[in-house]
Amino acid sequence: MSNRRLVAAAALALVLVVGWYRLSDRGPERGGSGAPLAAVAVPDALDPQARAGRALFEANCAECHGPTAAGRDGYGPPLVHPIYEPGHHADAAFDLAVANGVRAHHWRFGDMPPVAGLAPREVGRITAYVRALQRHNGIE
C-alpha cells in the first residue's frame, strides 16, 4: 500500500472514530450553554444534615450539576429528576458515584469522574441535600 493510501486510510479511520465518540454516550455533549436543565424549587428550611450537604454540594458538585442539582446544559444531568429517585438510585449509588465515578448510561454528558477528597460522611450530607431537594419537588 502506498504512503498516500495509508495516510488516507488513517485519516478516514480517525474521522470515523471521532464521529463515533461524539455520537456515543462516552463523549461529553459539546457546546452546552451551562443553563439549568430543570426547574428546581429550594425549600425555605433544610435540616442540619441537608444544610451541611448544600455547602458540600456547591463546593464539589455544582460545577456540573448546578447549585440546586438542576443540571447544566453541556456539563451534567439534573439530580432532581425521577431517574434519581430513591427507588431507582438508592443512597448507596451516590456513594459509589463519588468514590468510583460513573460510566454514562442515562444521559449524554460523558462519564463522571470520581470526586476526590470527600469522606463517606460528607457524601451522606450531600445525598441528604439532594434528597431534600427531590422531596420538595415531588420526587420520592
Side-chain angles (χ1 to χ4, degrees):
M1 185 182 271
S2 72
N3 283 343
R4 198 173 225 166
R5 282 188 153 182
L6 185 59
V7 169
L12 177 61
L14 180 63
V15 167
L16 292 174
V17 168
V18 169
W20 170 81
Y21 182 79
R22 293 202 65 201
L23 293 174
S24 75
D25 284 342
R26 288 179 172 79
E29 187 177 84
R30 306 280 184 222
S33 67
L37 297 172
V40 176
V42 179
D44 291 331
L46 295 167
D47 67 38
Q49 178 96 336
R51 195 168 38 253
R54 181 180 191 167
L56 289 163
F57 185 92
E58 289 172 351
N60 295 280
C61 313
E63 182 178 339
C64 294
H65 296 288
T68 62
R72 292 187 63 214
D73 181 40
Y75 292 83
L79 299 177
V80 179
H81 188 281
I83 286 176
Y84 298 104
E85 60 94 11
H88 190 253
H89 283 85
D91 291 357
F94 289 85
D95 297 329
L96 291 170
V98 169
N100 304 318
V102 178
R103 184 177 166 144
H105 58 288
H106 289 301
W107 307 92
R108 294 184 51 95
F109 295 101
D111 298 343
M112 176 185 146
V115 181
L118 285 172
R121 184 179 210 165
E122 293 171 314
V123 178
R125 290 177 178 146
I126 290 169
T127 304
Y129 173 61
V130 171
R131 296 299 189 208
L133 291 172
Q134 290 174 338
R135 282 190 301 278
H136 190 72
N137 287 275
I139 299 169
E140 294 189 49

